[in-house]
Amino acid sequence: MYLHGTSVINKAGRLEIGGCDAVELADKFGTPLYVFDEELIRRRCREFMEAFRATGMKFEVAYASKAFCVMAMCRIAEEEGLSLDVVSDGELYTALRAGFPPGRIHFHGNNKTPEEIEMALDAKIGCIVVDNFTELYLLSETAKAKGAVMNVLFRVTPGVEAHTHEFISTGQTDTKFGFDIGNGSAFRSVREAMELPNVRILGVHSHIGSQIFEVDGFRLAAERVAEFAQTVRQELGITFPVINLGGGFGIRYVEEDRPLPLAQYVQAITEAIRTLFARYEYPLPEIWIEPGRSIVGDAGTTLYTIGSSKTIPGVRKYVSVDGGMTDNPRPALYDAKYEAMLANRALEPVEETVSIAGKCCETGDMLIWDLELPKTQPGDTLAVSCTGAYNYSMASNYNRLRRPAVVFVKDGAADLVVRRETFEDVAGKDLLPERLRKQPVANS
Ligand code: LLP
């Protein structure tokens, strides 16, 4: 397994993250356990911030909180000077509860409810990324009723398909998201918004996909967006002060993944915008981006305890862990690949090839196929790396499993940032209507 961030193998031959022995973490907090390397999260934030600062341009890096949204993470994003992208009332609530400055919050989503729009207006967040006409008018009416003015970006689909997994590609024309540039609806959205005094037009937003390893897609999106901005300026007399090019910067899950250094994505994007807008003699806009996965993905490691196994002679050996698709649905959903190691016997030589199964009642609940490990035994601690993005945030209670705890480690200290769910968390919301309640047994 590749050792990310502060991960090392310590003198005891065990995996250590943030100066904390992984086996001790598993003992203390139980498994499955999400462990986050705080230093690495901060390093990733700084890579983006410093790369932008070096350009001398105006910018905002908004952490896409959908990747991993808990209060402790909101605080880190804030401390590192990032803004925050939220996509629901729950994420907004989390951010506000953590005290995140509302003016640095951007609200996304293709079906914001009237309640969400009210909540965003009441909290006076920085901007709403408007996705469609229904929302534009709902926002305008709600803002008017409150005597408020909201900054807006228009989410546009530039018709660029990023080279990534088909299911998570959102930049092409045939998508539920945004206003299409090609068919004129993006232009119409700006024209109509100009008539609405309670929305203030900041600019446009484009997100072309996820887990992208090349800069070409971003360059092409920048080109389309710049061309669109120029058309709007010429025909409507509006100059956008902000261009947001979304997230999608790839990370290394397994050996075959070859991500670029984060600074390289920033350089490509800023250079493209600078050149294109200069060509149109357009005032240089602020550039915003929204990385999610690349901020938290490789900082996360999930610890499991190995339990039972099953050997099918001539076929394979299944080794089961105490979690699975409930804490990591990505292999089942996207055929995502992960690396792993035995955290308690990290230096022992490879002796067997096994496939790691989850504990859910579902054949598809597999975490890793054909993983080389020392001879495994029940009670071993399995560490799966790169589980920081879209694992906790997409975790479920399938089979009524309790969602794991989340721990931040740094300089030898481990802090619980989300406690493990209890049975009460799982079943305590259930209600029994009167007619289904057990009648007390009458004494006779
Ligand atoms: N901005 C917008 C508008 C987005 O839709 C997304 C991700 C991001 C930013 C952040 O993208 P990132 O930098 O994290 O790639 N559940 C899937 C990923 C879905 C991504 C959805 N949008 C997964 O587990 O791979």
Side-chain angles (χ1 to χ4, degrees), residues 64 66 85 108 155 168 205 207 210 247-249 290-293 330 334 390 394:
K66 74 202 81 179
D85 147 18
H108 265 283
R155 175 155 185 177
I168 46 179
H205 171 284
H207 173 80
S210 223
F249 316 105
E290 292 165 346
R293 189 190 317 269
R330 300 192 69 260
Y334 314 119
Y390 304 106
M394 296 205 301

PDB file of all heavy atoms in Angstrom, residues 64 66 85 108 155 168 205 207 210 247-249 290-293 330 334 390 394, ligand 1:
ATOM      1  N   ALA A  64     -15.365  21.573  -1.635  1.00  0.00           N
ATOM      2  CA  ALA A  64     -16.665  20.940  -1.953  1.00  0.00           C
ATOM      3  C   ALA A  64     -17.004  19.983  -0.820  1.00  0.00           C
ATOM      4  O   ALA A  64     -16.542  18.843  -0.780  1.00  0.00           O
ATOM      5  CB  ALA A  64     -16.582  20.204  -3.289  1.00  0.00           C
ATOM      6  N   LYS A  66     -19.372  18.203   0.001  1.00  0.00           N
ATOM      7  CA  LYS A  66     -20.046  16.910  -0.231  1.00  0.00           C
ATOM      8  C   LYS A  66     -19.054  15.761  -0.089  1.00  0.00           C
ATOM      9  O   LYS A  66     -19.449  14.638   0.212  1.00  0.00           O
ATOM     10  CB  LYS A  66     -20.695  16.896  -1.622  1.00  0.00           C
ATOM     11  CG  LYS A  66     -19.737  16.766  -2.773  1.00  0.00           C
ATOM     12  CD  LYS A  66     -20.314  17.270  -4.079  1.00  0.00           C
ATOM     13  CE  LYS A  66     -20.193  18.786  -4.141  1.00  0.00           C
ATOM     14  NZ  LYS A  66     -20.703  19.353  -5.383  1.00  0.00           N
ATOM     15  N   ASP A  85     -18.281  24.986  -0.411  1.00  0.00           N
ATOM     16  CA  ASP A  85     -19.402  24.705  -1.313  1.00  0.00           C
ATOM     17  C   ASP A  85     -20.325  23.710  -0.617  1.00  0.00           C
ATOM     18  O   ASP A  85     -19.884  22.664  -0.166  1.00  0.00           O
ATOM     19  CB  ASP A  85     -18.794  24.205  -2.637  1.00  0.00           C
ATOM     20  CG  ASP A  85     -19.611  23.181  -3.405  1.00  0.00           C
ATOM     21  OD1 ASP A  85     -20.812  23.036  -3.165  1.00  0.00           O
ATOM     22  OD2 ASP A  85     -19.013  22.542  -4.297  1.00  0.00           O
ATOM     23  N   HIS A 108     -24.870  25.058  -3.980  1.00  0.00           N
ATOM     24  CA  HIS A 108     -25.097  24.368  -5.250  1.00  0.00           C
ATOM     25  C   HIS A 108     -26.315  23.485  -5.197  1.00  0.00           C
ATOM     26  O   HIS A 108     -26.838  23.203  -4.124  1.00  0.00           O
ATOM     27  CB  HIS A 108     -23.927  23.410  -5.494  1.00  0.00           C
ATOM     28  CG  HIS A 108     -22.863  23.989  -6.331  1.00  0.00           C
ATOM     29  ND1 HIS A 108     -22.977  24.097  -7.677  1.00  0.00           N
ATOM     30  CD2 HIS A 108     -21.655  24.483  -6.005  1.00  0.00           C
ATOM     31  CE1 HIS A 108     -21.873  24.641  -8.161  1.00  0.00           C
ATOM     32  NE2 HIS A 108     -21.055  24.885  -7.170  1.00  0.00           N
ATOM     33  N   ARG A 155     -24.833  28.076 -13.191  1.00  0.00           N
ATOM     34  CA  ARG A 155     -24.143  26.837 -13.539  1.00  0.00           C
ATOM     35  C   ARG A 155     -24.411  26.557 -15.008  1.00  0.00           C
ATOM     36  O   ARG A 155     -25.560  26.368 -15.419  1.00  0.00           O
ATOM     37  CB  ARG A 155     -24.636  25.665 -12.698  1.00  0.00           C
ATOM     38  CG  ARG A 155     -23.981  24.384 -13.177  1.00  0.00           C
ATOM     39  CD  ARG A 155     -23.890  23.322 -12.155  1.00  0.00           C
ATOM     40  NE  ARG A 155     -23.144  22.200 -12.694  1.00  0.00           N
ATOM     41  CZ  ARG A 155     -22.851  21.124 -12.015  1.00  0.00           C
ATOM     42  NH1 ARG A 155     -23.229  21.015 -10.757  1.00  0.00           N
ATOM     43  NH2 ARG A 155     -22.165  20.145 -12.566  1.00  0.00           N
ATOM     44  N   ILE A 168     -19.854   9.580 -13.162  1.00  0.00           N
ATOM     45  CA  ILE A 168     -19.607  10.782 -12.383  1.00  0.00           C
ATOM     46  C   ILE A 168     -19.119  11.933 -13.266  1.00  0.00           C
ATOM     47  O   ILE A 168     -18.468  12.836 -12.826  1.00  0.00           O
ATOM     48  CB  ILE A 168     -18.641  10.532 -11.196  1.00  0.00           C
ATOM     49  CG1 ILE A 168     -17.433   9.725 -11.633  1.00  0.00           C
ATOM     50  CG2 ILE A 168     -19.344   9.846 -10.065  1.00  0.00           C
ATOM     51  CD1 ILE A 168     -16.441   9.463 -10.506  1.00  0.00           C
ATOM     52  N   HIS A 205     -20.422  29.321 -13.667  1.00  0.00           N
ATOM     53  CA  HIS A 205     -19.798  28.172 -13.029  1.00  0.00           C
ATOM     54  C   HIS A 205     -19.849  26.990 -13.972  1.00  0.00           C
ATOM     55  O   HIS A 205     -20.874  26.746 -14.612  1.00  0.00           O
ATOM     56  CB  HIS A 205     -20.565  27.835 -11.751  1.00  0.00           C
ATOM     57  CG  HIS A 205     -20.126  26.546 -11.145  1.00  0.00           C
ATOM     58  ND1 HIS A 205     -20.490  25.324 -11.664  1.00  0.00           N
ATOM     59  CD2 HIS A 205     -19.332  26.287 -10.090  1.00  0.00           C
ATOM     60  CE1 HIS A 205     -19.929  24.368 -10.941  1.00  0.00           C
ATOM     61  NE2 HIS A 205     -19.230  24.923  -9.981  1.00  0.00           N
ATOM     62  N   HIS A 207     -18.580  22.734 -14.068  1.00  0.00           N
ATOM     63  CA  HIS A 207     -17.904  21.592 -13.427  1.00  0.00           C
ATOM     64  C   HIS A 207     -17.956  20.455 -14.436  1.00  0.00           C
ATOM     65  O   HIS A 207     -19.034  20.036 -14.840  1.00  0.00           O
ATOM     66  CB  HIS A 207     -18.636  21.214 -12.133  1.00  0.00           C
ATOM     67  CG  HIS A 207     -18.127  19.957 -11.501  1.00  0.00           C
ATOM     68  ND1 HIS A 207     -16.987  19.911 -10.732  1.00  0.00           N
ATOM     69  CD2 HIS A 207     -18.602  18.687 -11.537  1.00  0.00           C
ATOM     70  CE1 HIS A 207     -16.791  18.669 -10.313  1.00  0.00           C
ATOM     71  NE2 HIS A 207     -17.751  17.905 -10.784  1.00  0.00           N
ATOM     72  N   SER A 210     -15.241  14.413 -12.465  1.00  0.00           N
ATOM     73  CA  SER A 210     -14.530  14.093 -11.237  1.00  0.00           C
ATOM     74  C   SER A 210     -13.389  13.126 -11.521  1.00  0.00           C
ATOM     75  O   SER A 210     -13.442  12.386 -12.508  1.00  0.00           O
ATOM     76  CB  SER A 210     -15.522  13.444 -10.265  1.00  0.00           C
ATOM     77  OG  SER A 210     -15.361  13.945  -8.974  1.00  0.00           O
ATOM     78  N   GLY A 247     -14.694  21.546  -9.548  1.00  0.00           N
ATOM     79  CA  GLY A 247     -13.679  20.657  -8.963  1.00  0.00           C
ATOM     80  C   GLY A 247     -13.349  19.539  -9.924  1.00  0.00           C
ATOM     81  O   GLY A 247     -13.454  19.717 -11.133  1.00  0.00           O
ATOM     82  N   GLY A 248     -12.939  18.408  -9.367  1.00  0.00           N
ATOM     83  CA  GLY A 248     -12.699  17.244 -10.215  1.00  0.00           C
ATOM     84  C   GLY A 248     -11.252  16.795 -10.316  1.00  0.00           C
ATOM     85  O   GLY A 248     -10.942  15.891 -11.086  1.00  0.00           O
ATOM     86  N   PHE A 249     -10.370  17.424  -9.550  1.00  0.00           N
ATOM     87  CA  PHE A 249      -8.940  17.119  -9.652  1.00  0.00           C
ATOM     88  C   PHE A 249      -8.669  15.721  -9.081  1.00  0.00           C
ATOM     89  O   PHE A 249      -9.032  15.421  -7.944  1.00  0.00           O
ATOM     90  CB  PHE A 249      -8.130  18.203  -8.935  1.00  0.00           C
ATOM     91  CG  PHE A 249      -8.653  19.585  -9.265  1.00  0.00           C
ATOM     92  CD1 PHE A 249      -9.399  20.306  -8.340  1.00  0.00           C
ATOM     93  CD2 PHE A 249      -8.462  20.108 -10.538  1.00  0.00           C
ATOM     94  CE1 PHE A 249      -9.939  21.547  -8.676  1.00  0.00           C
ATOM     95  CE2 PHE A 249      -9.000  21.349 -10.879  1.00  0.00           C
ATOM     96  CZ  PHE A 249      -9.739  22.076  -9.946  1.00  0.00           C
ATOM     97  N   GLU A 290     -13.517  24.474  -6.933  1.00  0.00           N
ATOM     98  CA  GLU A 290     -14.226  23.741  -5.883  1.00  0.00           C
ATOM     99  C   GLU A 290     -13.707  22.325  -5.717  1.00  0.00           C
ATOM    100  O   GLU A 290     -14.403  21.361  -6.033  1.00  0.00           O
ATOM    101  CB  GLU A 290     -15.704  23.607  -6.252  1.00  0.00           C
ATOM    102  CG  GLU A 290     -16.475  24.862  -6.243  1.00  0.00           C
ATOM    103  CD  GLU A 290     -17.792  24.699  -6.968  1.00  0.00           C
ATOM    104  OE1 GLU A 290     -17.978  23.707  -7.693  1.00  0.00           O
ATOM    105  OE2 GLU A 290     -18.631  25.588  -6.829  1.00  0.00           O
ATOM    106  N   PRO A 291     -12.497  22.164  -5.221  1.00  0.00           N
ATOM    107  CA  PRO A 291     -11.994  20.799  -5.041  1.00  0.00           C
ATOM    108  C   PRO A 291     -12.628  20.119  -3.837  1.00  0.00           C
ATOM    109  O   PRO A 291     -12.824  20.737  -2.799  1.00  0.00           O
ATOM    110  CB  PRO A 291     -10.498  21.016  -4.798  1.00  0.00           C
ATOM    111  CG  PRO A 291     -10.395  22.402  -4.243  1.00  0.00           C
ATOM    112  CD  PRO A 291     -11.548  23.197  -4.806  1.00  0.00           C
ATOM    113  N   GLY A 292     -12.973  18.859  -3.981  1.00  0.00           N
ATOM    114  CA  GLY A 292     -13.491  18.076  -2.858  1.00  0.00           C
ATOM    115  C   GLY A 292     -12.544  16.921  -2.586  1.00  0.00           C
ATOM    116  O   GLY A 292     -11.765  16.920  -1.643  1.00  0.00           O
ATOM    117  N   ARG A 293     -12.570  15.945  -3.506  1.00  0.00           N
ATOM    118  CA  ARG A 293     -11.768  14.738  -3.372  1.00  0.00           C
ATOM    119  C   ARG A 293     -10.276  15.030  -3.140  1.00  0.00           C
ATOM    120  O   ARG A 293      -9.642  14.413  -2.298  1.00  0.00           O
ATOM    121  CB  ARG A 293     -11.919  13.911  -4.660  1.00  0.00           C
ATOM    122  CG  ARG A 293     -11.317  12.524  -4.612  1.00  0.00           C
ATOM    123  CD  ARG A 293     -11.305  11.898  -6.024  1.00  0.00           C
ATOM    124  NE  ARG A 293     -12.528  12.127  -6.749  1.00  0.00           N
ATOM    125  CZ  ARG A 293     -13.580  11.310  -6.734  1.00  0.00           C
ATOM    126  NH1 ARG A 293     -13.534  10.196  -6.048  1.00  0.00           N
ATOM    127  NH2 ARG A 293     -14.653  11.604  -7.427  1.00  0.00           N
ATOM    128  N   ARG A 330     -18.220   2.910  -2.684  1.00  0.00           N
ATOM    129  CA  ARG A 330     -17.640   3.263  -3.981  1.00  0.00           C
ATOM    130  C   ARG A 330     -17.258   2.062  -4.857  1.00  0.00           C
ATOM    131  O   ARG A 330     -17.467   2.112  -6.069  1.00  0.00           O
ATOM    132  CB  ARG A 330     -16.465   4.227  -3.803  1.00  0.00           C
ATOM    133  CG  ARG A 330     -16.896   5.544  -3.103  1.00  0.00           C
ATOM    134  CD  ARG A 330     -15.843   6.641  -3.168  1.00  0.00           C
ATOM    135  NE  ARG A 330     -15.657   7.156  -4.504  1.00  0.00           N
ATOM    136  CZ  ARG A 330     -14.689   6.815  -5.306  1.00  0.00           C
ATOM    137  NH1 ARG A 330     -13.755   5.975  -4.907  1.00  0.00           N
ATOM    138  NH2 ARG A 330     -14.632   7.306  -6.527  1.00  0.00           N
ATOM    139  N   TYR A 334     -19.110   2.361  -8.248  1.00  0.00           N
ATOM    140  CA  TYR A 334     -18.293   2.843  -9.369  1.00  0.00           C
ATOM    141  C   TYR A 334     -17.197   1.875  -9.773  1.00  0.00           C
ATOM    142  O   TYR A 334     -16.324   2.243 -10.547  1.00  0.00           O
ATOM    143  CB  TYR A 334     -17.602   4.172  -9.006  1.00  0.00           C
ATOM    144  CG  TYR A 334     -18.477   5.204  -8.355  1.00  0.00           C
ATOM    145  CD1 TYR A 334     -18.197   5.662  -7.078  1.00  0.00           C
ATOM    146  CD2 TYR A 334     -19.574   5.733  -9.028  1.00  0.00           C
ATOM    147  CE1 TYR A 334     -18.983   6.620  -6.467  1.00  0.00           C
ATOM    148  CE2 TYR A 334     -20.372   6.700  -8.422  1.00  0.00           C
ATOM    149  CZ  TYR A 334     -20.079   7.136  -7.152  1.00  0.00           C
ATOM    150  OH  TYR A 334     -20.861   8.093  -6.553  1.00  0.00           O
ATOM    151  N   TYR A 390     -15.971  11.001  -0.124  1.00  0.00           N
ATOM    152  CA  TYR A 390     -17.189  10.300  -0.534  1.00  0.00           C
ATOM    153  C   TYR A 390     -17.328   8.923   0.113  1.00  0.00           C
ATOM    154  O   TYR A 390     -17.957   8.039  -0.458  1.00  0.00           O
ATOM    155  CB  TYR A 390     -17.263  10.189  -2.063  1.00  0.00           C
ATOM    156  CG  TYR A 390     -17.183  11.536  -2.751  1.00  0.00           C
ATOM    157  CD1 TYR A 390     -16.027  11.943  -3.411  1.00  0.00           C
ATOM    158  CD2 TYR A 390     -18.252  12.415  -2.697  1.00  0.00           C
ATOM    159  CE1 TYR A 390     -15.944  13.183  -4.024  1.00  0.00           C
ATOM    160  CE2 TYR A 390     -18.179  13.661  -3.311  1.00  0.00           C
ATOM    161  CZ  TYR A 390     -17.026  14.041  -3.970  1.00  0.00           C
ATOM    162  OH  TYR A 390     -16.946  15.271  -4.571  1.00  0.00           O
ATOM    163  N   MET A 394     -21.059   9.254   2.013  1.00  0.00           N
ATOM    164  CA  MET A 394     -22.048   8.391   1.344  1.00  0.00           C
ATOM    165  C   MET A 394     -22.342   7.136   2.164  1.00  0.00           C
ATOM    166  O   MET A 394     -22.989   6.210   1.661  1.00  0.00           O
ATOM    167  CB  MET A 394     -21.554   8.002  -0.054  1.00  0.00           C
ATOM    168  CG  MET A 394     -21.420   9.194  -0.990  1.00  0.00           C
ATOM    169  SD  MET A 394     -21.535   8.761  -2.749  1.00  0.00           S
ATOM    170  CE  MET A 394     -20.225   7.621  -2.918  1.00  0.00           C
TER     171      MET A 394
HETATM  172  N1  LLP B   1     -18.280  21.122  -7.734  1.00  0.00           N
HETATM  173  C1  LLP B   1     -19.378  20.536  -8.220  1.00  0.00           C
HETATM  174  C2  LLP B   1     -20.398  21.350  -8.831  1.00  0.00           C
HETATM  175  C3  LLP B   1     -19.520  19.145  -8.139  1.00  0.00           C
HETATM  176  O1  LLP B   1     -20.599  18.576  -8.661  1.00  0.00           O
HETATM  177  C4  LLP B   1     -18.516  18.367  -7.526  1.00  0.00           C
HETATM  178  C5  LLP B   1     -18.665  16.924  -7.395  1.00  0.00           C
HETATM  179  C6  LLP B   1     -17.388  19.023  -7.021  1.00  0.00           C
HETATM  180  C7  LLP B   1     -17.304  20.412  -7.137  1.00  0.00           C
HETATM  181  C8  LLP B   1     -16.264  18.296  -6.328  1.00  0.00           C
HETATM  182  O2  LLP B   1     -15.664  17.390  -7.181  1.00  0.00           O
HETATM  183  P1  LLP B   1     -14.304  16.645  -6.709  1.00  0.00           P
HETATM  184  O3  LLP B   1     -13.227  17.666  -6.634  1.00  0.00           O
HETATM  185  O4  LLP B   1     -14.569  16.036  -5.404  1.00  0.00           O
HETATM  186  O5  LLP B   1     -14.092  15.622  -7.779  1.00  0.00           O
HETATM  187  N2  LLP B   1     -19.652  10.354  -5.295  1.00  0.00           N
HETATM  188  C9  LLP B   1     -18.690  10.364  -6.386  1.00  0.00           C
HETATM  189  C10 LLP B   1     -18.256  11.755  -6.717  1.00  0.00           C
HETATM  190  C11 LLP B   1     -19.401  12.658  -7.100  1.00  0.00           C
HETATM  191  C12 LLP B   1     -18.923  14.049  -7.414  1.00  0.00           C
HETATM  192  C13 LLP B   1     -20.059  14.978  -7.560  1.00  0.00           C
HETATM  193  N3  LLP B   1     -19.710  16.328  -7.759  1.00  0.00           N
HETATM  194  C14 LLP B   1     -17.485   9.506  -5.991  1.00  0.00           C
HETATM  195  O6  LLP B   1     -17.508   8.900  -4.925  1.00  0.00           O
HETATM  196  O7  LLP B   1     -16.535   9.406  -6.760  1.00  0.00           O
END
